[in-house]
Amino acid sequence: MFAQGKISEESLPLQLQISFEKLYQVYEKYANDSFEKHPLHTFAKHIKAEVTKHPELIQGFSDVTLVKNLKDSINVLLEPLFPEALQLNEIKAASIPFSFTTFKFSTRFQNIVKNAGENFELTVRNFENDGMYIMACTFILGAVYGFKIDMKRPFYFDIPDENTGTMKYYRAAFNADFSEITPTENAPKLTEEDFKILQKNYDSIEIWKEKLPPNSYHFKGFGLINLFDVTAEESISSIKANLLSGGNELIPKLQNNLRDFFGNKDLLLGYSFYNKTKTNHCESVSKKSNSIILSDAGNMQCDTNFFCANVMHKIFNGQEPVVISDVEEYGQKMNYNFFYKNLQKAGIQSIILIPIKAATEGDIALLEIASPRAYELNSVNIKKLKDIIPVFDAAVKRSSEERQNVLEATIQENYTAIHPAVKWRFYEAAEKYQTAVQLDENAKLDEIIFKDVYPLFGQSDIKGSSEARNSAIQEDLSTQLSLAITVLKEACKVEKLPIYEELMFRVTAYLKEVKMGLKAGDEINILTFLKREIYPVFNHIQLINHQLSAKVTDYKSHLNPDLGVVYEKRKNYEDSVNTLNNRLAKFLDSKQKEAQKMYPHYFERYKTDGVEFNMYIGKSINKDTHFDEIYLYNLRLWQLQTMVEMENIAFQERKNMAHDLRVASLILVHNNPLSIKFRMDEKQFDVDGAYNIRYEIIKKRIDKAHIKGTTERLTTPGKIAIVYSQDKDALEYIKYIHFLQSKNQIGKIEFLELEDLLGVSGLKALRIEVIYQKDFSEKKTITFDDLMKEIAV
């Protein structure tokens, strides 16, 4: 069997010669009388005699038609490389690298090519001629000049199977041990400077052809190509990609993916969504979607009048998959119910139903995979879907969440959440608008502005969060790569294939890079490399040795089942951040209820890497209650007291977190009243007026401020920074500090000046030490009455 690739010598820097000299040298060694007792001795002598008849097999030839003429001799030469016992297992061929001219196939490879059809040509996916030329150049640079460039990338072949009507996907591994590259008389002498120029100009084929002209080097020998069936992995990867991209053609694309995955050209795919009531049974199909089992059902009640009781129980109560291998047999047992009639009408004879919980509580998406023939889908091959179901599960949840977000956005557009303290003003504006619009259809809503309000800002920021997050990712990637190396090392012991050593080298290189530090895109590149190049090999070695299978199983056991990565340190970090954020936010919300009783004011809180909050207080916010500045002073003292208590909570929580996270707290004092305006486009309040914008600028930049004349950051764990610009503000807060010092809650005070920020100068700060309480309890904090007594003094 013979296959000619598309790439010719004219598009390569190489003159290609088929030669078996390096292989012949092995036979020549064993044909020597000193190896008379070696099992290969007699065979090697036979080979030597055969080659003597055809010296061109050693000298080399460029006319590929000679391969057919010398077929018998070549088959004898290559026989040890194509053992009879592996003919139906290995997908192997002898070939000329870079041209994809193949001339000796294993039986399995022959069958694959035969099943591909008469007009099939073996071509590499997504590899243009220029790319192949440059790859050949990189081999020359390494073999001839010692300039190493790692441009190795996996080759994939998409080969149709006319028997099943589906596409099979294969990854190729090349062995060039039986070849050599030498320069011709006209080959240029490249320098280090030439090498640097090439490294800078990968996309310029003209420069590559200038430095390494076509046909300027000899390639002599042959290569071996091994294919690995990665149809399952490629199908899963395509399913993920298609689910992410979405679009109107999503179902046909996914259907084709599953047809390739199952090797069944007639496979059908559909889905439907079901709403649920508070009971355990489904209420109705919310929409027909792309269902293949509800062809005429539309919006319907789904009960035992449609599905049988067993299907109802498994899908809607237990969320378990249902397999019906023989629809006719099912119909007989279920008295030809509506479900059977729909299946029969659709021409379905076997079906798999997979329920997936949507993000909305109680709703279920039903994945439908069907075949027109009985037993083509059954309780055995449903196990193949084990790696695919989580992908659909994530997609359904994401789709459900996106739909939920759309619904919430619609609500927000017209009914945005409004803080109770200011809701009255929105009602006023709405009443006025409704009255005005009856007289003038072009009437506009009033702007919502609260004038002369005093702002209060506070934050408890997790220090070093970015570094901690990166460190966690770095540790998890290091663990995953180390585990992969362990598997490959074991594989090298069991099966002496160079590809294992090459893959281990690349994994080790990635590990070294990770340990040196992460760069943007490193994590994605490493995970893509593992999925495309390592996992198909793991799937292969699992089948050849029990010990290797155990190693791969151990590797997989360390991976997060949903994410497919080692997710230990990152989970610890994220859990720690969430735990701390939730504790602080919950405590702050609880304390806010007390504060609203003192005097109604506007409050908003955000969770980031820590917690920050804004408050605004003033007469314009609460029109029915007299406003006195004592309420402002009280709220400031309340804020300081609350921040001290939040510091204690964060410190106390350290023992409950896998990561030792610390917070740095800050209060910004602004003594001049300002105006806030509700931004209709953003559906939130913002500071109004050019002068007042300075306050927002300070808020965004102050936590990065340094103490004047030093490189020390203002915010630091164990201390609360109070930033101000007027001395009278400092005097006010010193009173509050003395009060809390009397309660032994805070220690010494630092009086600091701050470096100028961009557009802001003259800021000062009080920085106070927090005295952490050993017996701190959220339920035993300073009361409202205590605060009011202190303010009244």
Side-chain angles (χ1 to χ4, degrees):
M1 194 171 188
F2 178 81
Q4 173 69 53
K6 286 186 173 181
I7 297 176
S8 64
E9 287 186 12
E10 287 74 21
S11 58
L12 290 171
L14 298 165
Q15 298 176 22
L16 302 176
Q17 275 195 319
I18 300 174
S19 167
F20 301 92
E21 183 177 8
K22 284 201 168 187
L23 181 59
Y24 176 73
Q25 289 170 357
V26 177
Y27 294 132
E28 197 172 35
K29 169 186 172 182
Y30 287 104
N32 191 284
D33 290 341
S34 61
F35 286 91
E36 184 178 358
K37 295 182 179 181
H38 196 280
L40 281 178
H41 178 69
T42 303
F43 180 73
K45 288 181 69 176
H46 171 67
I47 291 291
K48 195 172 179 182
E50 184 70 27
V51 170
T52 304
K53 302 174 188 176
H54 305 288
E56 59 269 37
L57 291 172
I58 307 304
Q59 296 166 2
F61 55 89
S62 299
D63 183 1
V64 293
T65 60
L66 285 177
V67 172
K68 293 181 180 178
N69 299 335
L70 300 171
K71 181 177 71 172
D72 293 339
S73 296
I74 291 173
N75 284 342
V76 173
L77 264 168
L78 296 179
E79 186 176 338
L81 301 180
F82 290 79
E84 186 65 30
L86 297 177
Q87 285 290 312
L88 294 175
N89 181 278
E90 290 188 324
I91 311 172
K92 182 189 285 187
S95 69
I96 304 177
F98 310 113
S99 73
F100 296 105
T101 298
T102 46
F103 51 84
K104 167 73 176 174
F105 296 82
S106 66
T107 303
R108 185 178 175 189
F109 204 150
Q110 281 183 322
N111 293 337
I112 289 171
V113 175
K114 181 180 178 181
N115 292 339
E118 293 182 6
N119 299 321
F120 173 72
E121 290 183 338
L122 194 65
T123 55
V124 186
R125 182 204 305 169
N126 296 333
F127 219 113
E128 64 287 343
N129 281 10
D130 286 353
M132 193 60 69
Y133 190 100
I134 293 173
M135 176 165 275
C137 288
T138 63
F139 274 81
I140 293 169
L141 290 171
V144 178
Y145 300 101
F147 297 139
K148 301 296 183 183
I149 297 181
D150 183 8
M151 192 191 152
K152 292 178 182 177
R153 55 176 283 193
F155 292 107
Y156 290 93
F157 293 93
D158 302 342
I159 304 178
D161 186 340
E162 289 194 338
N163 289 341
T164 62
T166 59
M167 187 70 73
K168 296 287 187 181
Y169 305 98
Y170 300 89
R171 185 179 59 80
F174 289 95
N175 184 336
D177 289 350
F178 302 103
S179 63
E180 62 179 355
I181 297 175
T182 55
T184 66
E185 293 180 357
N186 299 323
K189 300 203 180 293
L190 297 184
T191 65
E192 186 80 31
E193 189 60 34
D194 293 321
F195 181 54
K196 290 178 181 178
I197 291 172
L198 291 171
Q199 286 181 301
K200 295 175 184 176
N201 293 278
Y202 172 81
D203 294 322
S204 177
I205 188 64
E206 293 79 14
I207 291 178
W208 286 87
K209 287 186 175 180
E210 174 194 335
K211 301 297 183 184
L212 295 98
N215 302 313
S216 55
Y217 297 84
H218 288 298
F219 172 91
K220 185 178 180 183
F222 71 98
L224 292 174
I225 176 174
N226 280 276
L227 299 189
F228 297 90
D229 188 339
V230 292
T231 302
E233 291 81 358
E234 284 291 297
S235 297
I236 293 172
S237 179
S238 294
I239 287 170
K240 288 181 180 178
N242 287 329
L243 286 170
L244 285 172
S245 61
N248 295 329
E249 298 300 314
L250 176 60
I251 293 301
K253 288 178 181 178
L254 293 176
Q255 182 171 266
N256 286 334
N257 294 149
L258 285 172
R259 286 175 174 179
D260 292 342
F261 185 75
F262 276 98
N264 184 341
K265 66 179 178 180
D266 299 318
L267 207 70
L268 298 173
L269 174 68
Y271 69 93
S272 47
F273 284 98
Y274 297 81
N275 298 327
K276 288 186 68 179
T277 61
K278 294 179 181 178
T279 66
N280 284 331
H281 291 84
C282 73
E283 173 69 11
S284 65
V285 181
S286 60
K287 58 168 69 177
K288 186 168 67 176
S289 304
N290 287 78
S291 177
I292 54 179
I293 65 172
L294 303 170
S295 53
D296 297 318
N299 222 341
M300 54 156 276
Q301 294 292 113
C302 55
D303 51 26
T304 51
N305 290 324
F306 183 76
F307 292 116
C308 68
N310 183 50
V311 170
M312 286 286 296
H313 178 75
K314 280 194 170 184
I315 291 176
F316 300 108
N317 289 8
Q319 280 85 53
E320 300 174 23
V322 170
V323 183
I324 300 175
S325 301
D326 187 337
V327 168
E328 289 302 321
E329 181 184 7
Y330 170 82
Q332 291 174 13
K333 291 180 178 179
M334 296 300 125
N335 200 27
Y336 304 105
N337 61 4
F338 285 115
F339 180 42
Y340 161 78
K341 290 176 181 178
N342 271 18
L343 295 177
Q344 187 190 50
K345 186 175 181 180
I348 294 170
Q349 289 301 310
S350 57
I351 189 167
I352 295 173
L353 302 175
I354 302 170
I356 299 172
K357 282 186 178 180
T360 305
E361 186 176 354
D363 287 358
I364 285 179
L366 193 62
L367 192 65
E368 310 157 1
I369 304 172
S371 171
R373 289 172 290 277
Y375 290 99
E376 283 197 341
L377 297 172
N378 51 67
S379 63
V380 177
N381 59 20
I382 190 178
K383 303 302 180 185
K384 293 180 63 175
L385 294 171
K386 184 178 180 181
D387 295 324
I388 289 182
I389 291 175
V391 179
F392 279 99
D393 184 70
V396 167
K397 284 182 170 60
R398 189 184 70 249
S399 177
S400 178
E401 287 169 358
E402 287 173 354
R403 176 167 173 75
Q404 192 69 17
N405 290 340
V406 169
L407 294 177
E408 288 180 5
T410 303
I411 294 170
Q412 288 288 331
E413 183 179 348
N414 298 287
Y415 311 105
T416 185
I418 300 168
H419 191 273
V422 295
K423 188 176 288 185
W424 64 269
R425 180 64 186 90
F426 287 85
Y427 278 114
E428 273 191 355
E431 288 283 359
K432 182 178 179 181
Y433 173 75
Q434 290 298 330
T435 301
V437 80
Q438 295 177 18
L439 303 174
D440 179 6
E441 63 180 12
N442 295 318
K444 295 182 179 180
L445 282 163
D446 277 356
E447 289 186 330
I448 307 295
I449 300 175
F450 293 101
K451 296 181 178 180
D452 298 325
V453 295
Y454 293 92
L456 295 91
F457 171 76
Q459 72 173 31
S460 290
D461 184 47
I462 297 174
K463 296 301 288 183
S465 55
S466 298
E467 293 83 354
R469 184 181 289 107
N470 286 338
S471 176
I473 294 172
Q474 192 175 8
E475 287 187 63
D476 280 345
L477 282 177
S478 296
T479 299
Q480 188 164 355
L481 292 170
S482 298
L483 289 168
I485 291 170
T486 301
V487 177
L488 290 170
K489 279 183 179 178
E490 196 66 28
C492 288
K493 296 176 185 177
V494 174
E495 193 177 24
K496 302 290 185 181
L497 293 182
I499 188 66
Y500 296 154
E501 293 185 11
E502 188 271 335
L503 288 173
M504 189 161 60
F505 168 76
R506 293 168 68 187
V507 176
T508 303
Y510 274 125
L511 180 58
K512 289 179 180 176
E513 289 181 12
V514 168
K515 287 184 175 180
M516 291 174 63
L518 286 177
K519 301 185 291 295
D522 279 357
E523 184 181 9
I524 293 174
N525 291 337
I526 290 170
L527 295 179
T528 301
F529 163 70
L530 289 172
K531 289 176 184 176
R532 287 194 172 274
E533 301 197 40
I534 300 299
Y535 293 168
V537 174
F538 281 8
N539 292 338
H540 163 69
I541 64 179
Q542 270 189 301
L543 302 175
I544 65 174
N545 181 280
H546 176 72
Q547 189 176 354
L548 286 179
S549 178
K551 289 288 185 183
V552 174
T553 300
D554 179 64
Y555 171 87
K556 291 181 178 179
S557 71
H558 285 81
L559 305 186
N560 179 281
D562 296 323
L563 303 175
V565 298
V566 172
Y567 188 61
E568 182 180 348
K569 299 299 183 182
R570 270 175 288 186
K571 187 176 187 304
N572 289 342
Y573 169 76
E574 289 170 6
D575 286 349
S576 297
V577 170
N578 290 334
T579 297
L580 185 55
N581 275 352
N582 291 337
R583 279 293 308 277
L584 293 177
K586 183 179 179 181
F587 177 76
L588 182 58
D589 290 346
S590 174
K591 296 289 286 186
Q592 233 318 279
K593 292 176 183 177
E594 293 180 17
Q596 290 292 340
K597 294 176 183 177
M598 302 175 193
Y599 191 90
H601 56 276
Y602 182 78
F603 170 82
E604 58 185 6
R605 169 186 57 73
Y606 305 97
K607 282 195 289 188
T608 53
D609 279 354
V611 174
E612 65 179 53
F613 58 96
N614 292 303
M615 296 184 291
Y616 299 99
I617 188 170
K619 171 63 181 174
S620 62
I621 285 180
N622 190 5
K623 64 174 184 175
D624 296 328
T625 305
H626 169 71
F627 175 75
D628 190 281
E629 287 192 0
I630 192 172
Y631 295 117
L632 169 63
Y633 304 148
N634 184 72
L635 195 58
R636 285 175 174 170
L637 176 55
W638 172 90
Q639 180 188 31
L640 178 58
Q641 168 64 32
T642 300
M643 296 290 280
V644 171
E645 292 166 353
M646 288 171 68
E647 277 278 350
N648 274 275
I649 288 173
F651 188 79
Q652 189 182 61
E653 198 63 33
R654 292 172 67 187
K655 63 178 182 292
N656 299 323
M657 298 184 293
H659 270 258
D660 186 16
L661 301 179
R662 300 294 307 275
V663 298
S665 300
L666 178 143
I667 291 171
L668 176 60
V669 184
H670 189 82
N671 203 36
N672 297 321
L674 45 73
S675 297
I676 56 172
K677 179 179 180 180
F678 187 77
R679 306 291 180 187
M680 294 296 291
D681 52 345
E682 298 176 8
K683 296 292 184 287
Q684 67 179 29
F685 278 101
D686 203 356
V687 170
D688 188 39
Y691 174 76
N692 295 329
I693 293 299
R694 181 176 182 271
Y695 173 74
E696 288 293 335
I697 293 173
I698 296 174
K699 265 196 341 184
K700 287 179 170 60
R701 298 174 182 170
I702 192 60
D703 66 327
K704 303 294 190 296
H706 290 86
I707 298 171
K708 194 167 188 176
T710 74
T711 58
E712 181 185 351
R713 287 274 285 269
L714 170 64
T715 55
T716 185
K719 297 181 180 181
I720 298 174
I722 304 169
V723 179
Y724 64 94
S725 55
Q726 298 182 35
D727 289 340
K728 65 176 183 177
D729 297 330
L731 293 174
E732 177 189 340
Y733 271 87
I734 288 171
K735 289 195 304 180
Y736 308 150
I737 292 168
H738 287 159
F739 168 64
L740 295 177
Q741 284 175 330
S742 72
K743 303 289 185 181
N744 198 35
Q745 294 190 356
I746 56 178
K748 64 181 181 180
I749 311 174
E750 296 175 81
F751 296 84
L752 307 171
E753 292 186 20
L754 304 184
E755 292 282 5
D756 292 346
L757 302 173
L758 184 62
V760 180
S761 60
L763 293 178
K764 301 176 183 178
L766 303 173
R767 194 163 69 175
I768 54 177
E769 176 189 16
V770 178
I771 299 175
Y772 296 111
Q773 311 296 309
K774 291 182 180 180
D775 56 348
F776 176 80
S777 171
E778 296 176 29
K779 297 179 181 179
K780 296 179 181 179
T781 55
I782 293 178
T783 65
F784 170 67
D785 290 336
D786 291 333
L787 294 178
M788 290 306 294
K789 288 175 183 177
E790 176 62 21
I791 293 297
V793 174

